[in-house]
Amino acid sequence: MKIIDVEAIWLRIPSFGEQCEWGEDAFLVKVHTDTGLIGIGESDSAPAVLKALIETPSSHSTSRGLREILLGENPLDIDRLWNKMYDESSYMGRRGAAIHAISAIDIALWDIASQHYGVPIHTLLGGKVRNEIAAYGTFIPKDNPADNATLVEGLLETGFSSLKLGGGLFGNDPTHDHKVLQVVRDTAGDNIDLAIDLVYRWKNYRYAKTQCDRMGEFNLNWIEEPLPSDDHLGLRRLADTSESRISGGEGLSTVAEFTEFIRESRPDIIQPDITRCGGISEIRKIHDVATRYSTQLVPHGFSTGILMAATVQFLASIRDGELIEFSQSTSPLSLDLVTNPIFLTNGKVTVPDTPGLGIELDEDLIAKYRVEMTLGARP
């Protein structure tokens, strides 16, 4: 079996020049083979950049486009191809967007292998250790604090026992944040786990420590990304002194970067995104490091049903994969791109036993929102 094409697909709902919010653009890949098998992957990153990384013609032996690197290769050689992409695109960087693009392709290769062998991805990863995974609902809070009561009530009706909020205005003004959390906690009650995501908005240790102490009354499950992920000293001091658990890492890539993050920042929880960190292949290595350092791994996931399907397969195969993020985005790309998405039942998702990712894409929706732009001539 040989790879005959790597199709880079950029989707965007708003027109250029209009503001794009979380979930309103997406980047997909389809890896085509000469047997007719097609693997699907995704990266929750900057679509135009990733499209260029895949389609660009080569400059020299270590600055090659990912499509060019893969043409004619056997898609079942997943580990070898990961290293080949990493080595032969090294001038594009060993972190960030270059790894994001590799992540999407890696997921697609696992999809192909699983279909080829006729078993679920979790079987190829060593076997399924659970049939269902508890989910926590992530939502962007309403600007008016009081409006969040209705929002939370709706989430609780779906069966969530764990919630996380972040984005919007949250994190910019302590008084506003306190009002939002008061409404959310009063509505949810004391038996619901509640976490917050600051998206790096607290800037320095002293300010972050003050806010952590102030929010102690809300009994937070964790505080996510209070400081930038490269502020190792600030995060370490916060993890050592805060009563709440500290988490982060959704923007990091490769086991090398996560190893440094765990050693230097000492977070309680790391949150690699399977579509950014290096795909299924690399998140397995990251999990091994987290286990050695007694650090919990709870993957980030705020995109389409492709990311969800890949994350479920990974978590089903590890002993401590007990919690998955469940985005509450209302974007058509989040809701409708995958026509047979993984559903939530009583606050949990069921692990599928179908070969591959087991998903079907809405090709009409892809055609509607596809950005037609060729960034490099095909060899």
Side-chain angles (χ1 to χ4, degrees):
M1 182 162 52
K2 294 182 178 180
I3 296 172
I4 60 173
D5 195 11
V6 179
E7 184 181 4
I9 301 172
W10 172 8
L11 304 178
R12 180 183 174 93
I13 295 175
S15 300
F16 291 119
E18 294 181 1
Q19 186 173 359
C20 192
E21 299 289 346
W22 286 344
E24 292 186 334
D25 64 358
F27 178 79
L28 325 178
V29 296
K30 291 183 180 179
V31 176
H32 298 262
T33 68
D34 59 354
T35 66
L37 288 182
I38 299 174
I40 299 169
E42 172 186 14
S43 183
D44 181 13
S45 187
V49 176
L50 271 55
K51 185 175 176 67
L53 288 165
I54 289 175
E55 294 183 345
T56 185
S58 65
S59 296
H60 49 74
S61 60
T62 54
S63 183
R64 304 179 67 198
L66 299 180
R67 178 181 181 275
E68 181 180 310
I69 292 171
L70 293 173
L71 287 179
E73 292 283 2
N74 183 346
L76 302 180
D77 295 343
I78 299 174
D79 187 61
R80 182 178 67 82
L81 293 182
W82 199 101
N83 288 310
K84 185 181 182 186
M85 288 188 287
Y86 187 75
D87 292 341
E88 297 184 12
S89 67
S90 63
Y91 265 47
M92 300 175 187
R94 296 295 181 101
R95 305 288 187 271
I99 304 301
H100 300 171
I102 290 175
S103 302
I105 293 172
D106 180 78
I107 292 168
L109 295 180
W110 281 98
D111 187 22
I112 290 172
S114 178
Q115 294 178 66
H116 173 78
Y117 293 116
V119 296
I121 292 174
H122 57 65
T123 298
L124 297 181
L125 297 178
K128 183 174 66 171
V129 298
R130 59 181 50 79
N131 292 315
E132 57 185 16
I133 305 168
Y136 71 90
T138 299
F139 67 97
I140 301 173
K142 301 292 186 182
D143 291 347
N144 181 2
D147 292 342
N148 289 288
T150 301
L151 193 160
V152 171
E153 288 171 354
L155 292 174
L156 297 180
E157 289 175 0
T158 67
F160 284 118
S161 60
S162 181
L163 301 175
K164 184 181 79 180
L165 63 90
L169 298 180
F170 192 82
N172 293 324
D173 175 38
T175 301
H176 170 82
D177 296 347
H178 191 275
K179 291 178 180 178
V180 169
L181 284 175
Q182 191 69 66
V183 170
V184 172
R185 177 54 83 192
D186 288 347
T187 306
D190 293 334
N191 294 325
I192 298 296
D193 287 335
L194 178 61
I196 58 174
D197 184 355
L198 278 305
V199 201
Y200 309 150
R201 289 178 175 172
W202 281 354
K203 304 306 179 186
N204 61 67
Y205 163 74
R206 182 58 58 192
Y207 180 84
K209 180 63 168 65
T210 299
Q211 300 313 312
C212 284
D213 292 346
R214 186 180 185 189
M215 293 179 175
E217 65 180 283
F218 299 112
N219 189 27
L220 298 175
N221 192 15
W222 72 73
I223 296 175
E224 184 171 327
E225 302 201 315
L227 300 171
S229 58
D230 55 359
D231 184 359
H232 296 308
L233 180 58
L235 286 168
R236 184 194 307 177
R237 294 175 68 191
L238 204 58
D240 288 343
T241 59
S242 174
E243 293 185 3
S244 298
R245 295 187 295 171
I246 303 300
S247 72
E250 70 178 67
L252 303 181
S253 57
T254 75
V255 66
E257 196 165 17
F258 271 95
T259 300
E260 178 186 42
F261 182 62
I262 292 170
R263 286 176 175 173
E264 299 299 326
S265 295
R266 300 177 189 171
D268 300 285
I269 302 168
I270 59 167
Q271 297 172 287
D273 187 309
I274 203 166
T275 72
R276 296 184 196 143
C277 71
I280 294 171
S281 297
E282 197 74 354
I283 200 172
R284 298 174 73 196
K285 300 174 185 177
I286 294 166
H287 173 253
D288 289 343
V289 173
T291 300
R292 289 200 299 271
Y293 283 88
S294 192
T295 304
Q296 186 179 1
L297 188 154
V298 180
H300 174 265
F302 200 89
S303 189
T304 80
I306 302 172
L307 179 153
M308 173 63 70
T311 303
V312 165
Q313 292 294 319
F314 163 69
L315 288 176
S317 72
I318 62 172
R319 183 174 58 184
D320 50 351
E322 301 170 346
L323 188 62
I324 190 168
E325 184 167 16
F326 205 93
S327 165
Q328 298 303 299
S329 171
T330 58
S331 164
L333 300 181
S334 296
L335 297 176
D336 302 324
L337 176 63
V338 172
T339 61
N340 59 335
I342 293 174
F343 289 106
L344 187 74
T345 304
N346 296 323
K348 297 181 179 180
V349 298
T350 300
V351 178
D353 289 321
T354 53
L357 292 175
I359 58 176
E360 298 175 4
L361 301 181
D362 186 334
E363 296 296 340
D364 291 335
L365 184 143
I366 290 175
K368 179 178 180 181
Y369 294 118
R370 186 167 187 161
V371 178
E372 295 291 353
M373 183 180 295
T374 300
L375 301 178
R378 300 199 171 191

